[in-house]
Amino acid sequence: MAIATGFTPSNPSLRFPKLNPHRPSPQSSSPIVFRTTTIFSATSLTRRQPTHRRCLPIVSFSGGDGIDGGSGRKSGGGGGGGGGGDDNAGDKNKAEAVMALAEIGRSLESLPKDLAAAIESGKIPGSIVFRYAELEKSPFFRWLLQFGGFKERLLADDLFLAKVFMECGVGLFTKTAAEYQRRGEKFFKELEFVFADVVMAIIADFMLVYLPAPTVSLRPPLGVSAGSIAKFFYNCPDNAFQVALAGTSYSFLQRIGAIVRNGTKLFAVGTASSLVGTVVTNALINARKAVDKSSAGEVENLPILSTSVAYGVYMAISSNLRYQVLAGVIEQRMLEPLLHRHKIMLSAICFAVRTGNTFLGSLLWVDYARWIGVQKAQD
């Protein structure tokens, strides 16, 4: 059995203080408090994450130049929960991340600044470092990791990009099928409505996956001059139901804030996408009337402003809630803990669930549009 007596990280700021057993440390007049922290032992310097890692206790220090690194680890902010346990979780995250860097043969200076700062502050555990190293092996993912929003989502969920393709890929077919089922024999008479709905949906599908996706927060804190409301929403999670990492906590109000913030963004996205779709649809209707004079009185132009606002409200409420529950509860809290070792099965079930959710959303929109009067059934 190997005994690890210590290690020297590549970052000088993470070195242990030297101890002299015969006299007090000159670095601090306060007594040194010993605390044991369980971290992963570095058994190799390969770039491949080992299958089994043994856990060994090492000695860390509070006070002086120890591994604590300073202030508390609570990153929820603005009313987030936590307490004394956040410091311990931050220390453990930092130790795990440093050991993960040793195992993959990387230094802290070789990482992006936001990721290195998150490690220094104890916001991310070693598993996130391993996931970053795996993603970086692919040229395509390495390119995506340059963008902060994609980086935060890919580190939280390695199937994030697959879910984007699922949503946008099946959106065209499921929404068209839902339109046909709901409209029945009137499908071809209302083809302009169908086209508008599909165009609006495809434009919005990406944002419906992107906004409520769970994230690993790498954002720096806002400046002191920022207002209290801005700070509150800035510190809210991206998904109201997402599982917080160790050392991070979200209050109930912050989780409600995630729904409000995403709802505001989806209202803007829905209104803009509907505006594009409605303008294109009206152009097709007018072109059809110009070619076929007999159909001039059959189909009327869609009301641009009311349709766009109606779709924005629909996305802010119905789509927002459905996709937050889907990403935060069904996928992250239910499916992924059960099938995290079976990626193919997990992807297949996520595909089926998202397809059903997209189909349901199309049905609900047709009923909602008719109910508020922006679309009228054709005889």
Side-chain angles (χ1 to χ4, degrees), residues 50-251:
T51 305
H52 301 286
R53 296 192 297 273
R54 291 175 296 173
C55 294
L56 296 174
I58 67 167
V59 177
S60 62
F61 307 85
S62 62
D65 294 324
I67 200 170
D68 277 342
S71 59
R73 313 301 181 199
K74 183 169 62 177
S75 61
D86 284 340
D87 288 328
N88 293 334
D91 292 340
K92 182 178 179 181
N93 286 344
K94 188 173 184 178
E96 287 182 5
V98 170
M99 292 303 295
L101 288 174
E103 291 191 24
I104 64 177
R106 297 285 296 271
S107 64
L108 200 63
E109 291 80 4
S110 67
L111 300 177
K113 292 182 179 180
D114 54 355
L115 188 60
I119 293 176
E120 286 275 17
S121 60
K123 292 169 62 176
I124 59 175
S127 59
I128 302 299
V129 177
F130 285 123
R131 180 170 291 175
Y132 177 82
E134 289 297 319
L135 290 170
E136 213 179 22
K137 294 178 181 178
S138 166
F140 178 66
F141 282 113
R142 187 164 59 247
W143 175 73
L144 280 181
L145 289 172
Q146 300 178 43
F147 306 98
F150 279 98
K151 183 192 300 180
E152 291 183 336
R153 285 160 176 80
L154 287 170
L155 291 179
D157 181 8
D158 52 359
L159 291 179
F160 165 72
L161 203 60
K163 293 172 182 177
V164 171
F165 285 119
M166 288 178 197
E167 195 71 35
C168 296
V170 303
L172 175 65
F173 301 101
T174 55
K175 291 181 183 300
T176 303
E179 293 279 339
Y180 183 79
Q181 177 179 338
R182 184 63 86 214
R183 300 180 190 277
E185 297 178 354
K186 303 174 184 176
F187 179 82
F188 292 101
K189 291 184 178 181
E190 301 176 0
L191 200 57
E192 290 81 3
F193 293 154
V194 174
F195 182 82
D197 292 349
V198 172
V199 169
M200 290 186 294
I202 296 303
I203 293 175
D205 273 342
F206 172 79
M207 297 304 296
L208 285 173
V209 181
Y210 184 88
L211 288 179
T215 59
V216 173
S217 179
L218 301 176
R219 295 168 294 181
L222 285 178
V224 180
S225 60
S228 57
I229 296 179
K231 289 181 179 179
F232 170 77
F233 284 109
Y234 184 81
N235 291 319
C236 290
D238 289 275
N239 185 291
F241 307 100
Q242 76 177 50
V243 178
L245 293 174
T248 303
S249 58
Y250 300 111
S251 68

Side-chain angles (χ1 to χ4, degrees), residues 270-282:
T271 302
S273 62
S274 178
L275 186 65
V276 174
T278 306
V279 169
V280 172
T281 300
N282 285 345

